[in-house]
Amino acid sequence: MSNLPVWDDAAWTPLPRLEGQVEADVCVVGLGGSGLACVDELVRGGARVVGVDAGMVAGGAAGRNGGFLLAGTALFYNDAVATFGRESARRIYQLTVEQIERMAAETPDAVRRVGSLRIAADAEEEEDCRAQLAAMRADALPAEWYEGPEGRGLLVPTDGAYHPLRRCRTLAVRVVEARARLFEHSPALAITPGMVTTPGGCVRCGAVIVAVDGKLERIFPELEGRVRTARLQMVATAPTDEVRVPRPVYYRWGYEYWQQLPDGRVALGGFRDTAEGREWTDDATPCAEIQDRLDVFLREHVGVRAPVTHRWAASVSFSDSWLPLLEEVRPRVWALGGYSGTGNVLGALCGRAAASLALGGGAEIAELLTAAAEHARTRTI
Ligand SMILES: Cc1cc2nc3c(=O)[nH]c(=O)nc-3n(C[C@H](O)[C@H](O)[C@H](O)COP(=O)(O)OP(=O)(O)OC[C@H]3O[C@@H](n4cnc5c(N)ncnc54)[C@H](O)[C@@H]3O)c2cc1C
């Protein structure tokens, strides 16, 4: 299997490897959507920034995902309110809606503000969709009941879809023009306060921000048990007019998800939970077991017979709290990740927040995540 995402549809001029010693105010490790938002914020703040990636810009989940832009946390809003507290849940939700608006304004070529659907797979989930709708309405968050060809559930008009790789590459080019120094194929082998070492060189810096979602616990063994790496897999078809899917669809508690791209291709992911734990793995290549399930679902449920042209996988990490991790894990070393499968919006928000913290400022999302985690802890005691 080729493991090539449907998004990899344009040429990319590679960035150099890091050779020798360079200096920076902040070194950002990991150039996915979160790391690039972080670099962008640092540059805007006037910092000298060096960014390094082990592979290519957005070569991880950031350029290989489902392309959903969903507001909120990994928990549906009704669960978020119950788990994190109403005020924190509501404010986090609002910040993520603003982040989607910002992403659309920054990279209009990559973002479609078409809303999203959460479709119930059975009666129990339909009831939960109604509970989510009630919780959102109670907090004046836009959502409406939906019945249509995809099924029954919820329509969230402020969500959207995007081309994740295009957005990341656009941001990378932009921050380089703004004088950030980015290096590809330069894995951080050692991260200590003030120094990041790669095979060809090192970065002496005042602060380090590690924006790596999948395999975060390999970089920071101290996070073992708090974040856990999983593989997510997808397929995409040739352009087709067999179906018309105007907005991304989240199905069966979000385990399955699909969208139709502007050229008619259908991109579908899912079934992580069906392999008896085998998707808790560092392996980021597709496997036949999940790919076969995706094929059947594509034909039988989505109703698409067009040939599958792309099959791919990538690593993400799930957090034990369902909240992203945004933390100073070592002195002047911040770690962010653990988006639990929904890092496109939260990752960019956390990336910007980490930049602000590293520059000595504050970040509302960091405070909200702390308050939400505290609420969840006291609730379960
Ligand atoms: C199949 C799939 C579907 C998904 N669908 C959605 C979706 O529809 N909506 C949504 O919100 N989220 C989705 N996600 C999750 C989302 O893609 C991620 O949470 C998000 O992209 C994480 O971005 P990131 O920049 O934080 O991290 P990553 O994408 O993990 O980027 C980290 C970067 O760090 C680099 N790196 C790793 N180790 C090192 C090192 N030692 N030194 C230097 N660089 C290093 C990697 O090469 C990589 O480029 C999906 C994920 C997958 C895999």
Side-chain angles (χ1 to χ4, degrees), residues 29-36 52-70 162 186-189 191 211-214 219 231-234 250 257 312-316 336-337 339-345 347:
V29 176
L31 299 174
S34 314
L36 288 165
V52 294
D53 198 285
M56 287 169 63
V57 161
R64 307 172 68 80
N65 63 70
F68 285 43
L69 294 175
L70 303 177
Y162 81 146
S186 304
L189 302 176
I191 298 170
V212 174
D213 187 13
I219 297 180
R231 171 171 63 188
L232 303 183
Q233 304 195 34
M234 295 195 68
Y250 222 47
Y257 44 93
W312 73 97
S315 298
V316 297
L336 36 148
Y339 305 111
S340 305
T342 58
N344 287 340
V345 181

Side-chain angles (χ1 to χ4, degrees), residues 85 88 99 160 269:
S88 299
Q99 179 61 38

